[in-house]
Short mmCIF file of all heavy atoms in Angstrom, two decimals:
data_model
loop_
_atom_site.label_atom_id
_atom_site.label_comp_id
_atom_site.label_asym_id
_atom_site.label_seq_id
_atom_site.Cartn_x
_atom_site.Cartn_y
_atom_site.Cartn_z
N LYS V 1 0.83 -1.20 0.00
CA LYS V 1 0.00 0.00 0.00
C LYS V 1 0.87 1.26 0.00
O LYS V 1 2.00 1.25 0.48
CB LYS V 1 -0.92 0.00 1.23
CG LYS V 1 -1.90 -1.16 1.27
CD LYS V 1 -2.71 -1.13 2.55
CE LYS V 1 -3.65 -2.33 2.64
NZ LYS V 1 -4.41 -2.34 3.90
N TRP V 2 0.29 2.32 -0.55
CA TRP V 2 0.96 3.63 -0.59
C TRP V 2 0.17 4.61 0.28
O TRP V 2 -1.06 4.63 0.23
CB TRP V 2 1.04 4.16 -2.02
CG TRP V 2 1.95 3.38 -2.91
CD1 TRP V 2 1.62 2.28 -3.65
CD2 TRP V 2 3.33 3.64 -3.18
NE1 TRP V 2 2.70 1.82 -4.35
CE2 TRP V 2 3.78 2.65 -4.09
CE3 TRP V 2 4.24 4.61 -2.77
CZ2 TRP V 2 5.08 2.60 -4.58
CZ3 TRP V 2 5.54 4.56 -3.24
CH2 TRP V 2 5.95 3.57 -4.13
N TYR V 3 0.91 5.41 1.04
CA TYR V 3 0.27 6.42 1.89
C TYR V 3 0.99 7.75 1.72
O TYR V 3 2.19 7.79 1.43
CB TYR V 3 0.32 6.01 3.36
CG TYR V 3 -0.65 4.91 3.74
CD1 TYR V 3 -0.27 3.57 3.66
CD2 TYR V 3 -1.93 5.21 4.16
CE1 TYR V 3 -1.16 2.56 3.99
CE2 TYR V 3 -2.82 4.20 4.51
CZ TYR V 3 -2.43 2.88 4.42
OH TYR V 3 -3.31 1.88 4.74
N ALA V 4 0.22 8.83 1.91
CA ALA V 4 0.78 10.18 1.91
C ALA V 4 0.63 10.78 3.29
O ALA V 4 -0.48 10.78 3.84
CB ALA V 4 0.08 11.04 0.87
N PHE V 5 1.73 11.28 3.85
CA PHE V 5 1.71 11.95 5.15
C PHE V 5 1.74 13.45 4.88
O PHE V 5 2.76 13.99 4.44
CB PHE V 5 2.89 11.50 6.00
CG PHE V 5 2.82 10.06 6.42
CD1 PHE V 5 3.27 9.05 5.58
CD2 PHE V 5 2.28 9.70 7.64
CE1 PHE V 5 3.20 7.72 5.94
CE2 PHE V 5 2.20 8.37 8.02
CZ PHE V 5 2.66 7.37 7.17
N VAL V 6 0.61 14.09 5.13
CA VAL V 6 0.43 15.51 4.79
C VAL V 6 0.62 16.35 6.05
O VAL V 6 -0.11 16.17 7.03
CB VAL V 6 -0.97 15.74 4.18
CG1 VAL V 6 -1.17 17.21 3.83
CG2 VAL V 6 -1.18 14.87 2.94
N VAL V 7 1.59 17.26 6.01
CA VAL V 7 1.85 18.15 7.14
C VAL V 7 1.11 19.46 6.90
O VAL V 7 1.35 20.16 5.92
CB VAL V 7 3.36 18.41 7.30
CG1 VAL V 7 3.61 19.37 8.47
CG2 VAL V 7 4.12 17.11 7.51
N GLU V 8 0.20 19.78 7.83
CA GLU V 8 -0.67 20.95 7.70
C GLU V 8 -0.30 21.98 8.75
O GLU V 8 -0.07 21.66 9.91
CB GLU V 8 -2.12 20.49 7.85
CG GLU V 8 -3.15 21.59 7.78
CD GLU V 8 -4.54 21.09 8.14
OE1 GLU V 8 -4.65 19.96 8.67
OE2 GLU V 8 -5.50 21.83 7.90
N ASP V 9 -0.28 23.25 8.34
CA ASP V 9 0.04 24.35 9.24
C ASP V 9 -1.02 25.43 9.10
O ASP V 9 -1.77 25.47 8.13
CB ASP V 9 1.43 24.92 8.92
CG ASP V 9 1.94 25.83 10.03
OD1 ASP V 9 1.38 25.79 11.13
OD2 ASP V 9 2.90 26.59 9.79
N GLY V 10 -1.05 26.33 10.09
CA GLY V 10 -1.98 27.45 10.02
C GLY V 10 -3.36 27.15 10.56
O GLY V 10 -4.31 27.88 10.27
N ILE V 11 -3.51 26.06 11.34
CA ILE V 11 -4.80 25.70 11.91
C ILE V 11 -4.94 26.35 13.29
O ILE V 11 -4.07 26.22 14.14
CB ILE V 11 -4.95 24.17 12.03
CG1 ILE V 11 -4.97 23.55 10.64
CG2 ILE V 11 -6.22 23.81 12.78
CD1 ILE V 11 -6.18 23.94 9.82
N LYS V 12 -6.07 27.03 13.51
CA LYS V 12 -6.37 27.59 14.81
C LYS V 12 -7.10 26.54 15.64
O LYS V 12 -8.24 26.19 15.36
CB LYS V 12 -7.22 28.85 14.67
CG LYS V 12 -6.48 30.02 14.03
CD LYS V 12 -7.36 31.27 13.99
CE LYS V 12 -6.60 32.44 13.38
NZ LYS V 12 -7.45 33.66 13.32
N LEU V 13 -6.41 26.02 16.62
CA LEU V 13 -6.98 24.97 17.46
C LEU V 13 -7.84 25.56 18.55
O LEU V 13 -7.51 26.59 19.14
CB LEU V 13 -5.86 24.13 18.07
CG LEU V 13 -4.94 23.44 17.06
CD1 LEU V 13 -3.71 22.89 17.76
CD2 LEU V 13 -5.67 22.32 16.34
N GLN V 14 -8.97 24.91 18.80
CA GLN V 14 -9.89 25.37 19.83
C GLN V 14 -9.36 24.99 21.21
O GLN V 14 -9.18 23.81 21.51
CB GLN V 14 -11.28 24.77 19.61
CG GLN V 14 -12.33 25.33 20.55
CD GLN V 14 -13.70 24.76 20.24
OE1 GLN V 14 -13.85 23.95 19.34
NE2 GLN V 14 -14.71 25.20 20.98
N LYS V 15 -9.08 26.01 22.02
CA LYS V 15 -8.53 25.77 23.35
C LYS V 15 -9.66 25.60 24.37
O LYS V 15 -10.71 26.23 24.27
CB LYS V 15 -7.62 26.93 23.77
CG LYS V 15 -6.49 27.22 22.81
CD LYS V 15 -5.47 26.10 22.76
CE LYS V 15 -4.30 26.45 21.85
NZ LYS V 15 -3.29 25.38 21.79
N THR V 16 -9.44 24.72 25.34
CA THR V 16 -10.42 24.51 26.39
C THR V 16 -9.89 25.07 27.70
O THR V 16 -8.68 25.18 27.90
CB THR V 16 -10.71 23.01 26.57
OG1 THR V 16 -9.50 22.34 26.96
CG2 THR V 16 -11.23 22.40 25.29
N SER V 17 -10.80 25.44 28.57
CA SER V 17 -10.42 25.97 29.88
C SER V 17 -10.65 24.93 30.98
O SER V 17 -11.00 25.27 32.10
CB SER V 17 -11.23 27.24 30.18
OG SER V 17 -12.62 26.96 30.10
N ASN V 18 -10.49 23.67 30.62
CA ASN V 18 -10.71 22.58 31.57
C ASN V 18 -9.55 22.53 32.57
O ASN V 18 -8.39 22.44 32.18
CB ASN V 18 -10.80 21.26 30.80
CG ASN V 18 -11.36 20.13 31.64
OD1 ASN V 18 -11.33 20.19 32.86
ND2 ASN V 18 -11.88 19.12 30.98
N SER V 19 -9.87 22.60 33.86
CA SER V 19 -8.83 22.57 34.89
C SER V 19 -8.85 21.27 35.70
O SER V 19 -8.23 21.19 36.76
CB SER V 19 -8.99 23.76 35.84
OG SER V 19 -10.25 23.72 36.49
N ASN V 20 -9.57 20.25 35.21
CA ASN V 20 -9.61 18.97 35.91
C ASN V 20 -8.24 18.30 35.86
O ASN V 20 -7.56 18.34 34.84
CB ASN V 20 -10.65 18.04 35.28
CG ASN V 20 -12.06 18.58 35.45
OD1 ASN V 20 -12.34 19.30 36.41
ND2 ASN V 20 -12.95 18.25 34.54
N VAL V 21 -7.86 17.68 36.96
CA VAL V 21 -6.57 17.00 37.06
C VAL V 21 -6.82 15.51 37.27
O VAL V 21 -7.70 15.12 38.04
CB VAL V 21 -5.73 17.56 38.23
CG1 VAL V 21 -4.37 16.88 38.29
CG2 VAL V 21 -5.56 19.08 38.09
N VAL V 22 -6.03 14.68 36.58
CA VAL V 22 -6.15 13.24 36.73
C VAL V 22 -4.76 12.62 36.81
O VAL V 22 -3.83 13.07 36.12
CB VAL V 22 -6.96 12.61 35.56
CG1 VAL V 22 -6.23 12.77 34.24
CG2 VAL V 22 -7.28 11.15 35.82
N GLY V 23 -4.61 11.65 37.68
CA GLY V 23 -3.37 10.89 37.76
C GLY V 23 -3.57 9.53 37.12
O GLY V 23 -4.62 8.89 37.31
N ILE V 24 -2.60 9.08 36.35
CA ILE V 24 -2.73 7.82 35.59
C ILE V 24 -1.57 6.90 35.93
O ILE V 24 -0.40 7.29 35.82
CB ILE V 24 -2.78 8.10 34.08
CG1 ILE V 24 -4.05 8.87 33.72
CG2 ILE V 24 -2.72 6.79 33.29
CD1 ILE V 24 -4.16 9.24 32.25
N ASP V 25 -1.91 5.68 36.31
CA ASP V 25 -0.92 4.64 36.55
C ASP V 25 -0.94 3.68 35.36
O ASP V 25 -2.00 3.12 35.03
CB ASP V 25 -1.23 3.89 37.85
CG ASP V 25 -0.24 2.76 38.11
OD1 ASP V 25 0.91 3.06 38.45
OD2 ASP V 25 -0.63 1.58 37.96
N LEU V 26 0.20 3.49 34.72
CA LEU V 26 0.30 2.61 33.57
C LEU V 26 0.74 1.22 34.01
O LEU V 26 1.57 1.07 34.90
CB LEU V 26 1.32 3.16 32.56
CG LEU V 26 0.98 4.52 31.94
CD1 LEU V 26 2.15 5.01 31.08
CD2 LEU V 26 -0.29 4.46 31.10
N GLY V 27 0.17 0.19 33.37
CA GLY V 27 0.53 -1.18 33.71
C GLY V 27 0.31 -2.11 32.54
O GLY V 27 -0.01 -1.68 31.43
#
């Protein structure tokens, strides 16, 4: 298979004001 990896710039990302904190244990 053939794939194209397209790098895009100039996007205004929507920022959130979420202040919730979570701790994560990986296993």
Side-chain angles (χ1 to χ4, degrees):
K1 297 177 183 178
W2 292 87
Y3 286 90
F5 293 84
V6 180
V7 179
E8 178 188 13
D9 194 15
I11 295 294
K12 292 183 179 179
L13 300 168
Q14 187 177 1
K15 304 293 184 180
T16 62
S17 56
N18 194 339
S19 61
N20 295 332
V21 182
V22 65
I24 294 177
D25 178 72
L26 298 174

